[in-house]
Amino acid sequence: MEEYLEGLNEAQQEAVTATEGVIRVIAGAGSGKTRALSSRFAFLVNEIGILPGNILCVTFTNKSAGEMRQRIHRLTGDQDTGYINTFHGFCVSVLQEDSHAVQYPKSFLVLDNSDIDAMLKIIYEERGLTLREMTFAKARDMIEILKLKERPDYYLDMITMSLDVLEQKYRSAATPKDIIFYGYLYQEKKCFGLDYNDLITFTLYIFDENPEIRRKWQERLEYIMIDEFQDIDGLQYRLMKVLCGHHRNLFVVGDPDQTIYTWRGADVRYLLNFDRDFPEVKTILMMDNYRSAPQILAAANSLIEKNGKRIAKELIPHCPDGPMVECHLAKTAAEEAAWIAEKIKKLQEEGVANRDITILYRAHYVTRTVEEGLLAKKIPYTIYSGVQFFGRAEIKDALSYLRMVAYQDDLSFLRIANVPRRNLGERRMRFLREYADAHGCTMYQALTDTVEEPVFQGTKARQFLSLVETYRQRVEERQISELLSAILNDSGYEEMLRTEGSQERLDNLAELKQSVYEYETTCGEESTLEHYLSHVALFSNSDTAESGDKVKLMTVHAAKGLEFDHVFLCGMNEGIFPSRKVRTLDGMEEERRLAFVAITRARQGLYLTEAAGSNLDGSPRYPSRFLLDIDQRLLAYTEPVPEGLIQETRTYLRLSDRELSMEEANICQPGQRIRHRIFGEGTVIEADMEKKAHLIRFDDLETPRRISFRVALEVL
């Protein structure tokens, strides 16, 4: 038994050996919870004699499930690692065994987003819907909201209705919302497909309706362990309660301070209030941190204690002292990137490998200036869960439009002649290529020569030529930044992204425009279109894509569960981190938890950076509130903080917090009857979180009005 407990502290040993009953482990970042979980599994199998097939161990990603299986295999030597899976993966196992209970075959399809989009395409074509009415991305979100919140009993239609009846419900639907929803349910049933939401709801239905099947699974799962319990949602919680209903051996581990998936349905209250459903629970605190230097932990503790909805606790360091947390307040984003690159160079000189350095950020668009800084210093890097800035599709498309104006080259032509769609498909492109080959010209020239041919009837070829020629003639008259903005607008490219609901891609384009503007302001007379395209080609080549020792770049969400020797957390500005999309005080607490997760990824060195200047919308940048949340004595500023900056920032934050609390208090739910002090009584149609306003149909007005959250409404 000693081998499973060797090297474990008292709290970890207790977690491993407390096998019976309900156990809740509050495990801080870097406290060794994964080791404790895998040791507990091995203890159950090797010491107590529990069969692996009678243990369910739930993780939240397929990757972590795979890693857990490997750990447990090494500890037990047994190829059978039981049910080590995600909730969705476990439900697939249940349905593969018992799908007959809902008249589904064992070979049912598990649908991904591309499958869903293919179904939506069929529905839109059949019922004459367009992307202007609702993009596929918004349709997917709407379907998920309907399934989870507005129509949680939807699965009854899928299970109890015949295919013909469900089709009739789809055909008779009148509103786009109902057409899409019932069309999707019909398409799902037609191909025996289930999406992620269905997997859990169908499993719960089978358990509710079939006591013998429920009992079978309850008896089979003698021990249940759930990792990352702070990320659990309502359906998963229900499933867990059902599964542990017989043996009552339930082990959950999580950290309320690392709840960062509320937008996905996670609810930290399930962990915080666990004892209400399980009054017999035994709680174990694992606060010993074996990852980070004391200086890093002190900053993390100081930050997270500003949150109200948490279990008060403090991580205890067990690593040697390290340097103080460095904080650099840059004058510009370019200077921020240059400082990061220079610091990495110094770390390299000290013998630190590139692979041990990671740059974290809140959103992908932040990487543009960082990448330029790394390239300038010839520091190799790789981007996780994302594509290098100048390699992103929308950036390459935008640059191809500029190249069309400057060069009319074939590569750019092939890339964007039909983006947005101009009905210039493969057949017509083949025609142009053959003409160009025969006449020794570019494909653009080929189109110019043949645009009147019958083959181009019914296309927008002439409009495309007109667009390029217009900007070719004006190229000398306009700044490159103006040219880029105008051509992306006139071509319909940005409208296409808006229609698709691709906000991240639009943010990237905004960042590209900012980079062009910065180029213009630093290059003086040399800022011609040709010069810029030559300049940017240095960034868009793939030299950095070679394998080897590289600095990692990733979002904070992507870094969850990982750790690195040296962490740079950049873009620490209001509107970037925390995100400008935060609308409530609860949302701000989640952003602070996200910052906490970022800080606790670092083992030896932590470097926080921000840049003055302007945000994408032109508003002035302030340092992030999270920098000010940390006890200033714990931060080593690289330069004296400009006089008045902290006070100015705190004033801005007070106003921002007041607005958040005011708006949160004033948000009404759709369907609520309200009274406006001027317009009188009405009904709330929707609460638009993006626009920060209610859409209200007032009794005495012919058309609805959008009323800002700032205005308090009397709820009737």
Side-chain angles (χ1 to χ4, degrees), residues 532-603:
Y532 173 72
L533 290 170
S534 300
H535 163 80
V536 83
L538 299 172
F539 299 117
S540 46
N541 70 35
S542 57
D543 290 347
T544 59
E546 65 202 26
S547 60
D549 185 28
K550 292 183 284 189
V551 172
K552 300 179 186 72
L553 277 68
M554 66 182 77
T555 64
V556 181
H557 280 101
K560 178 97 170 6
L562 305 176
E563 54 188 67
F564 316 95
D565 284 356
H566 295 269
V567 170
F568 291 81
L569 182 55
C570 65
M572 292 295 285
N573 291 91
E574 289 292 305
I576 300 176
F577 199 2
S579 167
R580 66 184 185 277
K581 295 177 181 177
V582 174
R583 298 285 184 263
T584 63
L585 292 172
D586 279 351
M588 191 59 74
E589 288 214 348
E590 177 144 353
E591 287 288 293
R592 188 173 286 106
R593 291 195 292 268
L594 190 60
F596 173 81
V597 167
I599 288 171
T600 53
R601 299 311 93 197
R603 286 192 284 249

Side-chain angles (χ1 to χ4, degrees), residues 413 428-436 446-447 450 456:
F413 182 89
R428 293 182 173 101
M429 287 298 186
R430 190 163 53 249
F431 171 88
L432 289 173
R433 193 177 290 107
E434 290 170 357
Y435 182 97
L447 181 60
T450 62
F456 293 110

Side-chain angles (χ1 to χ4, degrees), residues 23-67:
I23 314 291
R24 172 178 62 177
V25 178
I26 306 296
S31 61
K33 65 179 180 64
T34 304
R35 184 182 177 188
L37 265 172
S38 49
S39 296
R40 189 175 194 270
F41 194 111
F43 184 82
L44 286 169
V45 172
N46 290 356
E47 295 300 324
I48 296 181
I50 305 300
L51 298 175
N54 296 126
I55 303 172
L56 169 64
C57 182
V58 177
T59 64
F60 271 77
T61 66
N62 290 313
K63 182 173 179 286
S64 54
E67 291 170 352

Side-chain angles (χ1 to χ4, degrees), residues 326 328 336-348 352-354 356-362 370 374 379 551-556 564-572 577 598-599 601-602 605-609:
E326 281 191 58
H328 183 71
E336 178 188 16
W339 185 87
I340 291 171
E342 191 60 41
K343 188 69 185 180
I344 290 173
K345 279 291 185 186
K346 288 179 181 173
L347 289 171
Q348 289 172 342
V352 177
N354 287 323
D356 295 327
I357 301 169
T358 296
I359 302 172
L360 301 181
Y361 40 84
R362 179 65 178 85
V370 175
L374 296 174
I379 298 171
V551 172
K552 300 179 186 72
L553 277 68
M554 66 182 77
T555 64
V556 181
F564 316 95
D565 284 356
H566 295 269
V567 170
F568 291 81
L569 182 55
C570 65
M572 292 295 285
F577 199 2
I599 288 171
R601 299 311 93 197
L606 176 65
Y607 316 90
L608 309 175
T609 67

Side-chain angles (χ1 to χ4, degrees), residues 627-642:
L627 293 178
L628 303 189
D629 283 343
I630 298 170
D631 185 334
Q632 297 299 285
R633 295 169 296 181
L634 302 175
L635 299 179
Y637 285 92
T638 56
E639 295 175 8
V641 180

Side-chain angles (χ1 to χ4, degrees), residues 360-383:
L360 301 181
Y361 40 84
R362 179 65 178 85
H364 279 302
Y365 70 84
V366 174
T367 67
R368 193 265 306 171
T369 49
V370 175
E371 288 183 65
E372 290 182 2
L374 296 174
L375 287 165
K377 291 289 186 180
K378 296 182 169 53
I379 298 171
Y381 67 90
T382 183
I383 296 185

